[in-house]
Amino acid sequence: MEFVTYEVKDRVGIITISREKALNALNSQVLEELNEAFDGVDQNEIRCIILTGAGEKSFVAGADIGEMSSLSKAEGEAFGKKGNDLFRKIETFPLPVIAAVNGFALGGGCEISMSCDIRICSDNAVFGQPEVGLGITPGFGGTQRLARLVSPGMAKQLIYTARNIKADEAYRIGLVNKVVSAEELMDEALKMASGIAANAPIAVRNCKKAINDGLQVDMDKAIVIEEKLFGDCFETEDQKAAMANFLEKDKEKKLKVVPFKNC
Ligand code: DAK
């Protein structure tokens, strides 16, 4: 792959968008390579993914404006679908995905970070949906995910005004989970990812599914979704081993990673 790299650290997979010359802007090739990178993750081995951008200046400065500028209506729709399919794949990926946002997260950059489960950003990060200034709407789910993540009123304000916000404001409105210095960003993301990786993997996956699926339906249906996923955990080796360790007061074992395996 030319613009995307993948490395593994213990049980954490790190996917890096590496098109620094264009501030990691998303062209069709980057979208295809990201798709390939997620498809290539060994989901038995890896417990958490970190998605980041190469360099210190930009996470992703948006969809590629050069490529978009000459698109016909049909091509624009196809480009939008390519992005939306990928972003939905990230959002519903069985493993948690942490966005380590290292600088600009504009347009498609803000949108791809919002398809991740958790966002940690560096203090030089800048978020925004500048699309209306370019004569288009956000096209990779920005109108939908921003309104759900912050509030409809705040999302409308940011999208209609096309105003960029800095890391501290992104934190204040709940767009990011944590702000750290640029030097600390990857360590902090890895620390959080390792913490997730140390927990029972089937339980973590089921939590992600319960939260995601539950948010799409009313509370009565959501609770049934949770019940089912809670019940599923009870036939796993993870649950049996972890609870037995607790009852045996085996603190050493309790802290160990339990295997990813159904009974
Ligand atoms: N696309 C292509 N190239 C980009 C880019 C982008 N989004 N952002 C930056 N670059 C390139 C610049 O052209 C420049 O290339 P060279 O001139 O060196 O060849 C290089 O990256 C460095 O950028 P600058 O020289 O501009 O760097 P500065 O530090 O001066 O400024 C900046 C950084 C991030 C403030 C500035 O580059 C900027 O404003 N970039 C554009 C940000 C932006 O507007 N992003 C949102 C793009 S719109 C849809 C599907 C998708 C979307 C919408 C609809 N459907 C199909 C419906 C998504 C839309 C977007 O994401």
Side-chain angles (χ1 to χ4, degrees):
M1 289 193 281
E2 189 183 351
F3 294 133
V4 173
T5 63
Y6 179 60
E7 62 176 310
V8 172
K9 281 196 179 158
D10 295 323
R11 286 167 186 258
V12 178
I14 304 170
I15 296 177
T16 306
I17 301 165
S18 191
R19 193 184 170 219
E20 241 184 296
K21 274 194 192 155
L23 303 186
N24 303 322
L26 302 171
N27 62 13
S28 298
Q29 190 179 339
V30 174
L31 294 175
E32 280 156 22
E33 291 184 8
L34 277 171
N35 200 42
E36 208 179 303
F38 275 93
D39 283 348
V41 171
D42 179 347
Q43 294 184 24
N44 287 324
E45 192 54 37
I46 299 301
R47 302 281 171 86
C48 188
I49 299 288
I50 296 173
L51 177 67
T52 192
E56 285 157 19
K57 186 170 170 182
S58 179
F59 170 66
V60 171
D64 191 297
I65 299 172
E67 181 174 340
M68 281 193 300
S69 63
S70 58
L71 295 183
S72 65
K73 205 170 161 188
E75 288 166 338
E77 270 176 33
F79 184 65
K81 178 163 168 40
K82 195 177 269 186
N84 275 326
D85 287 352
L86 168 68
F87 290 17
R88 193 73 184 123
K89 175 177 281 186
I90 296 172
E91 190 166 46
T92 59
F93 201 66
L95 309 177
V97 183
I98 299 173
V101 179
N102 53 310
F104 291 113
L106 302 175
C110 186
E111 289 169 307
I112 199 168
S113 81
M114 291 191 292
S115 70
C116 299
D117 297 280
I118 292 165
R119 282 149 295 287
I120 305 178
C121 75
S122 54
D123 49 17
N124 67 331
V126 176
F127 293 81
Q129 297 289 161
E131 286 86 348
V132 293
L134 292 165
I136 53 175
T137 67
F140 290 151
T143 55
Q144 303 310 306
R145 293 195 179 93
L146 190 58
R148 284 165 171 78
L149 256 178
V150 295
S151 66
M154 187 56 79
K156 285 174 177 174
Q157 183 186 330
L158 290 175
I159 290 170
Y160 300 168
T161 62
R163 183 173 70 87
N164 291 343
I165 57 171
K166 293 185 178 161
D168 55 346
E169 188 171 353
Y171 178 70
R172 188 174 57 73
I173 65 172
L175 179 54
V176 297
N177 298 62
K178 193 165 190 176
V179 183
V180 295
S181 70
E183 300 74 51
E184 289 171 313
L185 181 64
M186 277 316 284
D187 283 349
E188 197 62 36
L190 272 165
K191 201 166 116 191
M192 190 182 286
S194 305
I196 292 170
N199 288 321
I202 292 173
V204 171
R205 288 172 191 223
N206 283 10
C207 288
K208 173 165 178 171
K209 194 164 169 43
I211 294 169
N212 278 356
D213 293 358
L215 282 171
Q216 307 305 316
V217 297
D218 65 44
M219 186 57 87
D220 289 325
K221 292 193 181 108
I223 286 301
V224 175
I225 290 172
E226 187 186 80
E227 278 165 18
K228 164 109 190 50
L229 289 160
F230 171 74
D232 273 359
C233 295
F234 281 83
E235 289 186 16
T236 64
E237 200 171 291
D238 294 346
Q239 175 264 332
K240 289 186 192 313
M243 289 193 180
N245 291 343
F246 177 83
L247 293 173
E248 287 160 17
K249 302 202 184 307
D250 189 340
K251 289 203 176 109
E252 270 298 296
K253 265 207 229 154
K254 204 173 75 176
L255 294 173
K256 275 187 197 151
V257 174
V258 281
F260 172 60
K261 208 166 148 197
N262 280 304
C263 279

mmCIF file of all heavy atoms in Angstrom, residues 14-44:
data_model
loop_
_atom_site.group_PDB
_atom_site.id
_atom_site.type_symbol
_atom_site.label_atom_id
_atom_site.label_comp_id
_atom_site.label_asym_id
_atom_site.label_seq_id
_atom_site.Cartn_x
_atom_site.Cartn_y
_atom_site.Cartn_z
ATOM 1 N N ILE A 14 -2.039 -0.608 14.651
ATOM 2 C CA ILE A 14 -1.965 0.844 14.385
ATOM 3 C C ILE A 14 -2.043 1.075 12.878
ATOM 4 O O ILE A 14 -1.169 0.638 12.121
ATOM 5 C CB ILE A 14 -0.662 1.445 14.953
ATOM 6 C CG1 ILE A 14 -0.546 1.137 16.446
ATOM 7 C CG2 ILE A 14 -0.613 2.963 14.702
ATOM 8 C CD1 ILE A 14 0.816 1.471 17.037
ATOM 9 N N ILE A 15 -3.100 1.747 12.451
ATOM 10 C CA ILE A 15 -3.283 2.066 11.036
ATOM 11 C C ILE A 15 -2.977 3.552 10.857
ATOM 12 O O ILE A 15 -3.570 4.403 11.523
ATOM 13 C CB ILE A 15 -4.732 1.747 10.586
ATOM 14 C CG1 ILE A 15 -4.993 0.228 10.707
ATOM 15 C CG2 ILE A 15 -4.981 2.230 9.160
ATOM 16 C CD1 ILE A 15 -6.411 -0.204 10.369
ATOM 17 N N THR A 16 -2.011 3.850 9.988
ATOM 18 C CA THR A 16 -1.589 5.244 9.791
ATOM 19 C C THR A 16 -1.851 5.689 8.360
ATOM 20 O O THR A 16 -1.413 5.027 7.415
ATOM 21 C CB THR A 16 -0.083 5.401 10.113
ATOM 22 O OG1 THR A 16 0.162 4.892 11.432
ATOM 23 C CG2 THR A 16 0.351 6.862 10.054
ATOM 24 N N ILE A 17 -2.558 6.808 8.231
ATOM 25 C CA ILE A 17 -2.778 7.402 6.908
ATOM 26 C C ILE A 17 -1.538 8.229 6.606
ATOM 27 O O ILE A 17 -1.201 9.158 7.344
ATOM 28 C CB ILE A 17 -4.045 8.290 6.902
ATOM 29 C CG1 ILE A 17 -5.262 7.437 7.302
ATOM 30 C CG2 ILE A 17 -4.250 8.936 5.532
ATOM 31 C CD1 ILE A 17 -6.487 8.241 7.683
ATOM 32 N N SER A 18 -0.866 7.868 5.540
ATOM 33 C CA SER A 18 0.460 8.438 5.325
ATOM 34 C C SER A 18 0.562 9.101 3.956
ATOM 35 O O SER A 18 1.159 8.567 3.032
ATOM 36 C CB SER A 18 1.465 7.280 5.473
ATOM 37 O OG SER A 18 2.749 7.772 5.536
ATOM 38 N N ARG A 19 -0.042 10.276 3.892
ATOM 39 C CA ARG A 19 0.017 11.051 2.646
ATOM 40 C C ARG A 19 0.325 12.489 3.061
ATOM 41 O O ARG A 19 -0.449 13.417 2.821
ATOM 42 C CB ARG A 19 -1.344 10.947 1.936
ATOM 43 C CG ARG A 19 -1.307 11.429 0.512
ATOM 44 C CD ARG A 19 -2.681 11.409 -0.127
ATOM 45 N NE ARG A 19 -2.651 12.086 -1.397
ATOM 46 C CZ ARG A 19 -3.616 12.878 -1.846
ATOM 47 N NH1 ARG A 19 -4.721 13.070 -1.135
ATOM 48 N NH2 ARG A 19 -3.503 13.488 -3.009
ATOM 49 N N GLU A 20 1.472 12.597 3.720
ATOM 50 C CA GLU A 20 1.818 13.839 4.418
ATOM 51 C C GLU A 20 1.844 15.071 3.525
ATOM 52 O O GLU A 20 1.480 16.154 3.965
ATOM 53 C CB GLU A 20 3.178 13.648 5.093
ATOM 54 C CG GLU A 20 3.104 13.792 6.587
ATOM 55 C CD GLU A 20 4.468 13.706 7.248
ATOM 56 O OE1 GLU A 20 5.083 12.627 7.162
ATOM 57 O OE2 GLU A 20 4.904 14.708 7.833
ATOM 58 N N LYS A 21 2.284 14.899 2.264
ATOM 59 C CA LYS A 21 2.407 16.049 1.351
ATOM 60 C C LYS A 21 1.067 16.748 1.160
ATOM 61 O O LYS A 21 1.009 17.954 0.927
ATOM 62 C CB LYS A 21 2.920 15.573 -0.003
ATOM 63 C CG LYS A 21 4.419 15.495 -0.083
ATOM 64 C CD LYS A 21 4.805 15.352 -1.549
ATOM 65 C CE LYS A 21 6.280 14.969 -1.658
ATOM 66 N NZ LYS A 21 6.554 14.268 -2.897
ATOM 67 N N ALA A 22 -0.016 15.987 1.225
ATOM 68 C CA ALA A 22 -1.357 16.581 1.064
ATOM 69 C C ALA A 22 -2.079 16.581 2.407
ATOM 70 O O ALA A 22 -3.314 16.526 2.461
ATOM 71 C CB ALA A 22 -2.148 15.809 0.014
ATOM 72 N N LEU A 23 -1.320 16.672 3.467
ATOM 73 C CA LEU A 23 -1.870 16.690 4.837
ATOM 74 C C LEU A 23 -2.823 15.508 5.085
ATOM 75 O O LEU A 23 -3.834 15.641 5.758
ATOM 76 C CB LEU A 23 -2.555 18.036 5.139
ATOM 77 C CG LEU A 23 -1.671 19.289 4.988
ATOM 78 C CD1 LEU A 23 -2.426 20.530 5.446
ATOM 79 C CD2 LEU A 23 -0.374 19.158 5.770
ATOM 80 N N ASN A 24 -2.474 14.375 4.479
ATOM 81 C CA ASN A 24 -3.226 13.111 4.640
ATOM 82 C C ASN A 24 -4.674 13.204 4.136
ATOM 83 O O ASN A 24 -5.561 12.507 4.641
ATOM 84 C CB ASN A 24 -3.201 12.634 6.106
ATOM 85 C CG ASN A 24 -1.784 12.447 6.616
ATOM 86 O OD1 ASN A 24 -0.925 11.987 5.875
ATOM 87 N ND2 ASN A 24 -1.521 12.822 7.867
ATOM 88 N N ALA A 25 -4.883 14.065 3.137
ATOM 89 C CA ALA A 25 -6.234 14.184 2.566
ATOM 90 C C ALA A 25 -6.664 12.845 1.961
ATOM 91 O O ALA A 25 -5.845 12.082 1.445
ATOM 92 C CB ALA A 25 -6.258 15.284 1.497
ATOM 93 N N LEU A 26 -7.963 12.611 2.025
ATOM 94 C CA LEU A 26 -8.518 11.315 1.596
ATOM 95 C C LEU A 26 -8.875 11.347 0.116
ATOM 96 O O LEU A 26 -9.890 11.939 -0.262
ATOM 97 C CB LEU A 26 -9.788 11.001 2.403
ATOM 98 C CG LEU A 26 -9.659 10.945 3.932
ATOM 99 C CD1 LEU A 26 -11.039 10.837 4.579
ATOM 100 C CD2 LEU A 26 -8.769 9.773 4.357
ATOM 101 N N ASN A 27 -8.039 10.729 -0.713
ATOM 102 C CA ASN A 27 -8.465 10.525 -2.101
ATOM 103 C C ASN A 27 -8.982 9.095 -2.235
ATOM 104 O O ASN A 27 -8.978 8.331 -1.255
ATOM 105 C CB ASN A 27 -7.333 10.845 -3.101
ATOM 106 C CG ASN A 27 -6.122 9.935 -2.911
ATOM 107 O OD1 ASN A 27 -6.210 8.918 -2.203
ATOM 108 N ND2 ASN A 27 -5.001 10.284 -3.517
ATOM 109 N N SER A 28 -9.402 8.716 -3.437
ATOM 110 C CA SER A 28 -9.984 7.373 -3.617
ATOM 111 C C SER A 28 -9.002 6.290 -3.212
ATOM 112 O O SER A 28 -9.386 5.294 -2.591
ATOM 113 C CB SER A 28 -10.356 7.136 -5.078
ATOM 114 O OG SER A 28 -11.305 8.044 -5.461
ATOM 115 N N GLN A 29 -7.732 6.502 -3.572
ATOM 116 C CA GLN A 29 -6.735 5.464 -3.253
ATOM 117 C C GLN A 29 -6.577 5.280 -1.744
ATOM 118 O O GLN A 29 -6.500 4.156 -1.251
ATOM 119 C CB GLN A 29 -5.383 5.830 -3.894
ATOM 120 C CG GLN A 29 -4.382 4.686 -3.803
ATOM 121 C CD GLN A 29 -3.044 5.004 -4.460
ATOM 122 O OE1 GLN A 29 -2.954 5.897 -5.311
ATOM 123 N NE2 GLN A 29 -2.012 4.291 -4.051
ATOM 124 N N VAL A 30 -6.553 6.404 -1.012
ATOM 125 C CA VAL A 30 -6.430 6.300 0.457
ATOM 126 C C VAL A 30 -7.644 5.541 1.017
ATOM 127 O O VAL A 30 -7.491 4.659 1.873
ATOM 128 C CB VAL A 30 -6.309 7.693 1.109
ATOM 129 C CG1 VAL A 30 -6.330 7.584 2.624
ATOM 130 C CG2 VAL A 30 -5.040 8.402 0.645
ATOM 131 N N LEU A 31 -8.832 5.875 0.508
ATOM 132 C CA LEU A 31 -10.040 5.196 0.999
ATOM 133 C C LEU A 31 -9.958 3.688 0.735
ATOM 134 O O LEU A 31 -10.273 2.871 1.600
ATOM 135 C CB LEU A 31 -11.297 5.777 0.336
ATOM 136 C CG LEU A 31 -11.635 7.246 0.672
ATOM 137 C CD1 LEU A 31 -12.835 7.722 -0.152
ATOM 138 C CD2 LEU A 31 -11.932 7.428 2.158
ATOM 139 N N GLU A 32 -9.474 3.331 -0.475
ATOM 140 C CA GLU A 32 -9.374 1.896 -0.809
ATOM 141 C C GLU A 32 -8.335 1.202 0.072
ATOM 142 O O GLU A 32 -8.544 0.087 0.550
ATOM 143 C CB GLU A 32 -8.990 1.741 -2.291
ATOM 144 C CG GLU A 32 -10.187 1.922 -3.211
ATOM 145 C CD GLU A 32 -9.805 2.354 -4.628
ATOM 146 O OE1 GLU A 32 -8.650 2.134 -5.044
ATOM 147 O OE2 GLU A 32 -10.683 2.926 -5.315
ATOM 148 N N GLU A 33 -7.220 1.882 0.290
ATOM 149 C CA GLU A 33 -6.161 1.257 1.099
ATOM 150 C C GLU A 33 -6.583 1.123 2.566
ATOM 151 O O GLU A 33 -6.248 0.158 3.239
ATOM 152 C CB GLU A 33 -4.858 2.053 0.968
ATOM 153 C CG GLU A 33 -4.256 1.926 -0.427
ATOM 154 C CD GLU A 33 -2.904 2.614 -0.576
ATOM 155 O OE1 GLU A 33 -2.334 3.066 0.434
ATOM 156 O OE2 GLU A 33 -2.419 2.695 -1.715
ATOM 157 N N LEU A 34 -7.326 2.109 3.045
ATOM 158 C CA LEU A 34 -7.831 2.005 4.430
ATOM 159 C C LEU A 34 -8.775 0.815 4.550
ATOM 160 O O LEU A 34 -8.732 0.049 5.518
ATOM 161 C CB LEU A 34 -8.573 3.287 4.820
ATOM 162 C CG LEU A 34 -7.712 4.448 5.311
ATOM 163 C CD1 LEU A 34 -8.555 5.702 5.453
ATOM 164 C CD2 LEU A 34 -7.044 4.110 6.647
ATOM 165 N N ASN A 35 -9.610 0.656 3.537
ATOM 166 C CA ASN A 35 -10.537 -0.470 3.514
ATOM 167 C C ASN A 35 -9.757 -1.783 3.586
ATOM 168 O O ASN A 35 -10.082 -2.680 4.373
ATOM 169 C CB ASN A 35 -11.330 -0.383 2.203
ATOM 170 C CG ASN A 35 -12.604 -1.168 2.262
ATOM 171 O OD1 ASN A 35 -13.310 -1.129 3.272
ATOM 172 N ND2 ASN A 35 -12.882 -1.904 1.218
ATOM 173 N N GLU A 36 -8.701 -1.852 2.780
ATOM 174 C CA GLU A 36 -7.848 -3.047 2.740
ATOM 175 C C GLU A 36 -7.179 -3.274 4.104
ATOM 176 O O GLU A 36 -7.091 -4.407 4.587
ATOM 177 C CB GLU A 36 -6.772 -2.813 1.684
ATOM 178 C CG GLU A 36 -6.233 -4.054 1.018
ATOM 179 C CD GLU A 36 -5.177 -3.678 -0.024
ATOM 180 O OE1 GLU A 36 -5.481 -2.897 -0.948
ATOM 181 O OE2 GLU A 36 -4.057 -4.147 0.103
ATOM 182 N N ALA A 37 -6.726 -2.186 4.717
ATOM 183 C CA ALA A 37 -6.033 -2.311 6.015
ATOM 184 C C ALA A 37 -6.991 -2.871 7.073
ATOM 185 O O ALA A 37 -6.627 -3.781 7.830
ATOM 186 C CB ALA A 37 -5.479 -0.956 6.458
ATOM 187 N N PHE A 38 -8.210 -2.361 7.121
ATOM 188 C CA PHE A 38 -9.171 -2.881 8.109
ATOM 189 C C PHE A 38 -9.520 -4.342 7.802
ATOM 190 O O PHE A 38 -9.621 -5.160 8.720
ATOM 191 C CB PHE A 38 -10.432 -1.997 8.168
ATOM 192 C CG PHE A 38 -10.256 -0.815 9.089
ATOM 193 C CD1 PHE A 38 -9.820 0.405 8.616
ATOM 194 C CD2 PHE A 38 -10.491 -0.949 10.456
ATOM 195 C CE1 PHE A 38 -9.619 1.498 9.472
ATOM 196 C CE2 PHE A 38 -10.292 0.130 11.323
ATOM 197 C CZ PHE A 38 -9.860 1.351 10.824
ATOM 198 N N ASP A 39 -9.648 -4.672 6.507
ATOM 199 C CA ASP A 39 -9.956 -6.069 6.148
ATOM 200 C C ASP A 39 -8.816 -7.002 6.558
ATOM 201 O O ASP A 39 -9.037 -8.182 6.817
ATOM 202 C CB ASP A 39 -10.184 -6.198 4.628
ATOM 203 C CG ASP A 39 -11.555 -5.691 4.227
ATOM 204 O OD1 ASP A 39 -12.390 -5.459 5.124
ATOM 205 O OD2 ASP A 39 -11.791 -5.504 3.011
ATOM 206 N N GLY A 40 -7.607 -6.451 6.595
ATOM 207 C CA GLY A 40 -6.441 -7.292 6.880
ATOM 208 C C GLY A 40 -6.171 -7.514 8.361
ATOM 209 O O GLY A 40 -5.277 -8.290 8.725
ATOM 210 N N VAL A 41 -6.915 -6.842 9.246
ATOM 211 C CA VAL A 41 -6.652 -6.987 10.683
ATOM 212 C C VAL A 41 -7.014 -8.400 11.139
ATOM 213 O O VAL A 41 -8.109 -8.889 10.855
ATOM 214 C CB VAL A 41 -7.480 -5.947 11.496
ATOM 215 C CG1 VAL A 41 -7.382 -6.220 12.990
ATOM 216 C CG2 VAL A 41 -7.027 -4.528 11.162
ATOM 217 N N ASP A 42 -6.094 -9.052 11.834
ATOM 218 C CA ASP A 42 -6.365 -10.386 12.378
ATOM 219 C C ASP A 42 -7.187 -10.214 13.659
ATOM 220 O O ASP A 42 -6.665 -9.882 14.722
ATOM 221 C CB ASP A 42 -5.027 -11.085 12.678
ATOM 222 C CG ASP A 42 -5.240 -12.473 13.272
ATOM 223 O OD1 ASP A 42 -6.382 -12.788 13.669
ATOM 224 O OD2 ASP A 42 -4.256 -13.225 13.338
ATOM 225 N N GLN A 43 -8.477 -10.439 13.531
ATOM 226 C CA GLN A 43 -9.383 -10.131 14.647
ATOM 227 C C GLN A 43 -9.304 -11.143 15.791
ATOM 228 O O GLN A 43 -9.900 -10.941 16.846
ATOM 229 C CB GLN A 43 -10.819 -10.003 14.138
ATOM 230 C CG GLN A 43 -10.981 -8.809 13.212
ATOM 231 C CD GLN A 43 -12.416 -8.622 12.770
ATOM 232 O OE1 GLN A 43 -13.361 -9.049 13.421
ATOM 233 N NE2 GLN A 43 -12.587 -7.990 11.628
ATOM 234 N N ASN A 44 -8.569 -12.246 15.578
ATOM 235 C CA ASN A 44 -8.363 -13.179 16.697
ATOM 236 C C ASN A 44 -7.198 -12.726 17.561
ATOM 237 O O ASN A 44 -7.140 -12.998 18.751
ATOM 238 C CB ASN A 44 -8.088 -14.591 16.178
ATOM 239 C CG ASN A 44 -9.354 -15.206 15.631
ATOM 240 O OD1 ASN A 44 -10.442 -14.965 16.165
ATOM 241 N ND2 ASN A 44 -9.229 -15.953 14.556
#
